[in-house]
Amino acid sequence: MPVNTDRFLADLKTLRRFGAFKTGVHRPTFSPQDMEARHWFVSRLREEGLQAEIDGIGNILGRSPKPGPHLLAGSHLESQNEAGWLDGALGCVAALHLAASGLPVDVAVFSDEEGHYGSFIGSRSFTGILEESEIDALANKYHGKPLREALREAGLEGRPRFGVEPGRYKAFLEMHIEQGRQLEGQGLQIGVVTGIVAIWQWKITIEGQQNHAGTTTMAERRDAGMAAVRLLAMIDEEFPRHCAERTVWTAGRIALSPGAPSIIPGRAEILFQYRDVDIEVLRRLEVVLRRCVAESNRRERCTATLEAMSLSTPAVSDPALQDALADAAEALAPGKWQRMPSGAGHDAQYLARVMPAAMLFVPSINGISHHWTEDTKDEDLAMGMRVLAEGARRVLEG
Amino acid sequence: MPVNTDRFLADLKTLRRFGAFKTGVHRPTFSPQDMEARHWFVSRLREEGLQAEIDGIGNILGRSPKPGPHLLAGSHLESQNEAGWLDGALGCVAALHLAASGLPVDVAVFSDEEGHYGSFIGSRSFTGILEESEIDALANKYHGKPLREALREAGLEGRPRFGVEPGRYKAFLEMHIEQGRQLEGQGLQIGVVTGIVAIWQWKITIEGQQNHAGTTTMAERRDAGMAAVRLLAMIDEEFPRHCAERTVWTAGRIALSPGAPSIIPGRAEILFQYRDVDIEVLRRLEVVLRRCVAESNRRERCTATLEAMSLSTPAVSDPALQDALADAAEALAPGKWQRMPSGAGHDAQYLARVMPAAMLFVPSINGISHHWTEDTKDEDLAMGMRVLAEGARRVLEG
């Protein structure tokens, strides 16, 4: 039975109505809009003959009644605040339509990939690395509601949490929008993901001395803000000499205390991260970063300290799965696909720890994501669905 | 009648109890603590035989019954939040004790020098350059209460505002703590202020493009945060080549939007100021700043714009008044005084526009001000009071 791309697009557009915000959606994890979307998705899974439930962390598992071997496919349903309609939703609806096309595919929806409460709590729960004590400790990062309270309000308290049934799955597949402009820029329709970059996130704290901006001479100052500026300028010069081709680095936040026009900043806090698919590159850049901080402490009258916030491991896509998806892409969209890394994190990186995993990208119009204007052409969505189904068929037969 | 420094110190210590916070005070403008301090000060002025009232902007004027010529002296009573006990209070109590010593001195307390609502509204009102429309528009910068509402709650609504009586004053004198470490560092007790620096305050806004920190390649980025860092690093290199000996410059605030670890900042806002006593230096540095911004716009894929927030005029102390204070200092504290600029703004800079004005500094322990640990030794406070009184006597006789 071929995949029905019209019904696939229709389901995507129905899902878009839950928490509709301008042309995007606002579906924070466990909000009423998000829970409505989850319940609707469970009902759609059941309509397609899957045995579907929501578990105690908000994950959905729709089990195929077909005999094995099975594939697992899916993504997430909640969105960032006031964000796009496709991020996450696309991979869930695509998985639904793999199953609807008659393939032996279980469908998974992983909770809170967008991190309203924690870091990948859904896929980490499913793959067995989320402790109850972490659930106890987490709270919503925007409004502070404890995760336990949110789960109770969503009616999920006390439910068991699903895990990976040993021996059931041959592989995990996740379809997603690219969230960048590489595909669109080259006129391509499909990206076969070679790996998911790791993010090494650091906090740099610089301690100086808060003082009056008029009465403290330049020679007397210990200005934490200017020390931060000079350190970031040094990193900006050093990183290009040591990075790889697709490494990215970002200082997303610079906060000066107290942040008043006439007070010399006594303290600066920088959130600095870099991403790469190669662990050796990540390690090399850590050495460079530590050298820059040491050099700052040698030069400045302020003290900079470096703290690792999170150092994740790059996830490499399974080569055989990549080849199956690449062959499917070449068959259906000849010359209009490429292999590429994923610069963003995805649930697939946790699934890759317990089974072969791979991802398929479709283009993002203007590269926009995490914004309500996020979009992808219908023809690219449909092509992605067909390539995913053809790839899944090849994996199951291979 | 010589000045009574014991009673002067006792009054200072009584005033310290209004809004006591640790070893400092918390007396935000028009707060209950601040109004209690004002009413107590009015009663002290009346005890010393002055005719004293609070006006419609919160200024206090205590008029001497003695025949002229008169001096005017004073400062401000409110404090920064959780700040020191001497800033402002010292100049008010010193003025009270000039009058108490029998000199023909009017005592002025200028409202909100600390800028909880506006910029020098008290001294600007007294010198005739505060419009009713500005009073209508102002609100508390911490909690947003409109100035009109605060004046009503303080019982000041509808009162007339005092102005400078033409021909009444020979000069204005203000005693103040140094708020820096120059005097203490050199073992001096008195600073005769040569001028008050002007502050040229700018806002630099940098527009880039907000984007995903993982999926946007370095080549594609328009990172407003890094453009801000490079611009500030350029200013940090250029300013020392063009500044004067005591010029200071400060980037007190750098705000990146949205300020999240995984989002490339789309916008940066910098509050940047420099101060000098010489208008030519201020103008030269404006040229340097504009050149740096232009150079940034030439190099970067972001757009920097420069907006003048306030460009004040340096206030020069009257040379004859300086000499009178210097002679008094040399007579009472031989070799333990110097002439020096004021790096902070003071009410005296507005008074200097309408009459000869001068200031006297006493040392700040560790240079600390705008903090509850602010302090000055009793012996330095007393010496300052004696030199101020002797200087005032010389001015009146001169």
Side-chain angles (χ1 to χ4, degrees):
Chain A
M1 182 163 49
V3 71
N4 185 329
T5 54
D6 288 345
R7 288 189 59 208
F8 160 69
L9 291 172
D11 275 334
L12 266 179
K13 284 164 193 181
T14 300
L15 185 50
R16 175 176 206 170
R17 292 191 211 134
F18 296 96
F21 175 82
K22 299 188 182 176
T23 64
V25 297
H26 179 66
R27 283 202 302 262
T29 308
F30 304 139
S31 64
Q33 311 89 292
D34 175 48
M35 289 309 298
E36 279 171 35
R38 283 177 207 265
H39 288 297
W40 171 82
F41 196 74
V42 167
S43 69
R44 279 294 292 119
L45 289 170
R46 290 175 182 163
E47 280 172 20
E48 299 299 342
L50 284 79
Q51 179 201 346
E53 297 292 344
I54 307 182
D55 82 350
I57 198 74
N59 285 343
I60 298 170
L61 184 63
R63 287 169 63 91
S64 167
K66 308 234 171 217
H70 295 89
L71 295 182
L72 182 67
S75 189
H76 61 94
L77 281 177
E78 83 284 332
S79 75
Q80 292 268 350
N81 292 329
E82 302 180 358
W85 68 295
L86 290 167
D87 188 341
L90 175 60
C92 297
V93 176
L96 168 68
H97 282 272
L98 287 179
S101 77
L103 292 169
V105 172
D106 283 5
V107 177
V109 172
F110 301 109
S111 188
D112 201 34
E113 192 268 354
E114 295 293 3
H116 292 265
Y117 287 88
S119 174
F120 295 94
I121 56 175
S123 43
R124 285 170 55 225
S125 173
F126 191 72
T127 56
I129 56 168
L130 181 71
E131 304 288 334
E132 290 292 320
S133 57
E134 183 175 345
I135 301 176
D136 292 338
L138 288 171
N140 190 290
K141 73 180 177 193
Y142 301 102
H143 53 65
K145 181 183 287 182
L147 175 54
R148 289 285 185 203
E149 191 179 323
L151 288 167
R152 186 163 60 244
E153 288 175 7
L156 302 174
E157 190 184 29
R159 297 194 188 193
R161 292 195 270 137
F162 301 144
V164 180
E165 183 184 312
R168 182 170 171 89
Y169 302 116
K170 207 164 173 186
F172 174 73
L173 295 177
E174 182 173 2
M175 179 171 165
H176 206 280
I177 52 169
E178 181 201 344
Q179 304 178 275
R181 347 179 154 241
Q182 299 298 307
L183 293 175
E184 184 187 63
Q186 299 167 76
L188 304 178
Q189 285 192 289
I190 298 289
V192 175
V193 176
T194 55
I196 298 173
V197 298
I199 305 174
W200 285 21
Q201 178 72 51
W202 305 84
K203 180 159 82 177
I204 307 169
T205 307
I206 301 179
E207 296 284 351
Q209 186 168 29
Q210 181 178 326
N211 229 320
H212 191 293
T215 57
T216 314
T217 61
M218 296 311 284
E220 289 168 330
R221 290 177 183 222
R222 296 175 51 215
D223 182 335
M226 282 314 296
V229 162
R230 287 185 288 258
L231 172 57
L232 285 170
M234 194 190 330
I235 290 170
D236 182 51
E237 294 214 341
E238 288 300 317
F239 263 52
R241 295 177 189 152
H242 303 277
C243 67
E245 192 189 342
R246 283 292 301 266
T247 314
V248 290
W249 57 94
T250 307
R253 187 169 149 83
I254 305 171
L256 308 188
S257 298
S262 286
I263 304 180
I264 298 165
R267 184 184 159 92
E269 210 177 273
I270 301 165
L271 295 183
F272 181 75
Q273 65 166 229
Y274 44 81
R275 305 186 188 209
D276 202 87
V277 283
D278 183 347
I279 189 88
E280 289 310 318
V281 172
L282 295 163
R283 287 187 184 133
R284 192 163 75 216
L285 292 177
E286 177 181 348
V287 172
V288 175
L289 180 59
R290 289 193 183 279
R291 206 160 57 209
C292 288
V293 169
E295 178 63 17
S296 169
N297 284 331
R298 201 181 62 75
R299 290 183 195 176
E300 303 279 353
R301 300 177 65 231
C302 297
T303 306
T305 51
L306 184 64
E307 183 189 346
M309 305 292 286
S310 59
L311 308 178
S312 65
T313 307
V316 179
S317 297
D318 181 79
L321 292 181
Q322 276 186 53
D323 288 346
L325 292 173
D327 292 348
E330 183 59 24
L332 296 171
K336 304 196 81 174
W337 65 277
Q338 71 170 4
R339 294 185 198 244
M340 63 188 298
S342 168
H346 295 287
D347 290 309
Q349 72 202 48
Y350 285 96
L351 277 298
R353 297 177 174 210
V354 295
M355 67 182 82
M359 291 188 74
L360 194 75
F361 277 172
V362 292
S364 295
I365 294 174
N366 292 322
I368 294 167
S369 80
H370 289 183
H371 190 273
W372 54 268
T373 55
E374 169 193 287
D375 206 2
T376 298
K377 290 181 199 160
D378 277 3
E379 65 197 74
D380 289 340
L381 292 171
M383 177 58 80
M385 182 71 244
R386 282 197 291 272
V387 171
L388 184 72
E390 176 59 20
R393 200 185 55 74
R394 288 173 188 241
V395 172
L396 284 164
E397 286 175 0
Chain B
M1 185 163 48
V3 70
N4 186 329
T5 54
D6 289 345
R7 289 190 58 208
F8 159 70
L9 291 171
D11 275 334
L12 265 178
K13 285 164 192 180
T14 300
L15 184 50
R16 176 177 204 167
R17 293 191 211 133
F18 296 95
F21 175 82
K22 300 189 181 177
T23 64
V25 297
H26 179 67
R27 282 203 303 263
T29 309
F30 305 139
S31 63
Q33 310 89 292
D34 175 49
M35 290 310 299
E36 279 170 36
R38 283 176 208 266
H39 288 296
W40 171 82
F41 196 73
V42 167
S43 69
R44 280 293 292 118
L45 290 170
R46 290 176 182 162
E47 280 171 20
E48 300 298 343
L50 284 77
Q51 178 201 347
E53 297 291 344
I54 307 182
D55 82 350
I57 198 72
N59 285 344
I60 298 170
L61 183 62
R63 287 168 63 90
S64 167
K66 311 232 168 217
H70 294 89
L71 295 181
L72 182 68
S75 189
H76 61 93
L77 281 176
E78 82 284 330
S79 76
Q80 292 269 352
N81 292 329
E82 303 180 359
W85 69 295
L86 290 168
D87 188 341
L90 175 60
C92 298
V93 176
L96 166 68
H97 282 271
L98 287 180
S101 76
L103 292 170
V105 172
D106 284 4
V107 177
V109 172
F110 301 109
S111 188
D112 200 34
E113 192 266 356
E114 295 294 2
H116 292 264
Y117 287 89
S119 174
F120 295 93
I121 55 175
S123 43
R124 286 169 55 225
S125 173
F126 190 72
T127 55
I129 56 169
L130 180 71
E131 305 287 335
E132 290 291 320
S133 58
E134 183 175 345
I135 301 176
D136 292 339
L138 288 171
N140 191 290
K141 73 180 178 193
Y142 301 101
H143 53 65
K145 181 183 289 182
L147 175 54
R148 289 285 185 204
E149 191 178 323
L151 288 168
R152 189 164 57 246
E153 288 175 8
L156 302 174
E157 191 185 28
R159 297 194 188 193
R161 292 196 269 137
F162 302 142
V164 181
E165 183 184 310
R168 182 169 172 90
Y169 301 115
K170 206 164 171 186
F172 174 74
L173 294 177
E174 182 173 1
M175 180 171 164
H176 206 280
I177 52 168
E178 180 200 345
Q179 305 178 275
R181 348 180 152 241
Q182 298 299 306
L183 293 176
E184 184 186 64
Q186 299 166 76
L188 304 179
Q189 285 192 289
I190 299 289
V192 174
V193 176
T194 54
I196 300 173
V197 298
I199 306 174
W200 284 22
Q201 179 71 52
W202 305 83
K203 180 160 82 176
I204 306 170
T205 307
I206 301 180
E207 295 285 351
Q209 187 167 29
Q210 181 177 326
N211 229 320
H212 191 293
T215 58
T216 312
T217 60
M218 296 312 283
E220 288 168 331
R221 290 175 184 224
R222 295 175 53 213
D223 182 334
M226 283 313 296
V229 162
R230 288 186 288 257
L231 172 57
L232 284 170
M234 194 188 331
I235 290 170
D236 182 51
E237 295 215 340
E238 289 299 317
F239 263 53
R241 294 177 190 151
H242 303 277
C243 67
E245 193 189 342
R246 281 292 301 265
T247 313
V248 290
W249 56 96
T250 308
R253 188 171 148 84
I254 304 172
L256 308 187
S257 301
S262 286
I263 305 180
I264 299 165
R267 184 185 160 91
E269 209 175 272
I270 302 165
L271 294 183
F272 180 76
Q273 65 167 227
Y274 44 83
R275 306 185 187 208
D276 202 88
V277 283
D278 183 347
I279 188 87
E280 289 311 316
V281 172
L282 295 163
R283 287 188 185 131
R284 192 164 75 215
L285 292 175
E286 177 181 348
V287 172
V288 175
L289 180 60
R290 289 192 183 280
R291 205 161 57 208
C292 287
V293 169
E295 179 62 17
S296 169
N297 284 331
R298 199 180 64 74
R299 290 184 194 174
E300 302 280 353
R301 301 178 66 231
C302 297
T303 307
T305 51
L306 184 65
E307 184 189 345
M309 305 292 286
S310 59
L311 308 178
S312 65
T313 307
V316 179
S317 297
D318 182 78
L321 292 181
Q322 277 185 54
D323 288 346
L325 293 172
D327 291 349
E330 183 58 25
L332 296 171
K336 303 196 82 173
W337 64 278
Q338 70 169 7
R339 294 186 198 242
M340 63 186 300
S342 168
H346 295 290
D347 290 308
Q349 71 203 50
Y350 286 96
L351 276 298
R353 296 176 175 209
V354 295
M355 66 183 82
M359 292 188 73
L360 194 75
F361 278 172
V362 291
S364 296
I365 294 174
N366 292 321
I368 294 167
S369 80
H370 290 183
H371 190 274
W372 55 268
T373 55
E374 169 193 288
D375 206 2
T376 298
K377 289 181 200 159
D378 278 2
E379 65 198 72
D380 289 339
L381 293 170
M383 178 57 80
M385 182 71 244
R386 282 197 291 272
V387 171
L388 184 72
E390 176 59 21
R393 200 185 55 74
R394 288 172 188 242
V395 172
L396 285 163
E397 287 175 358

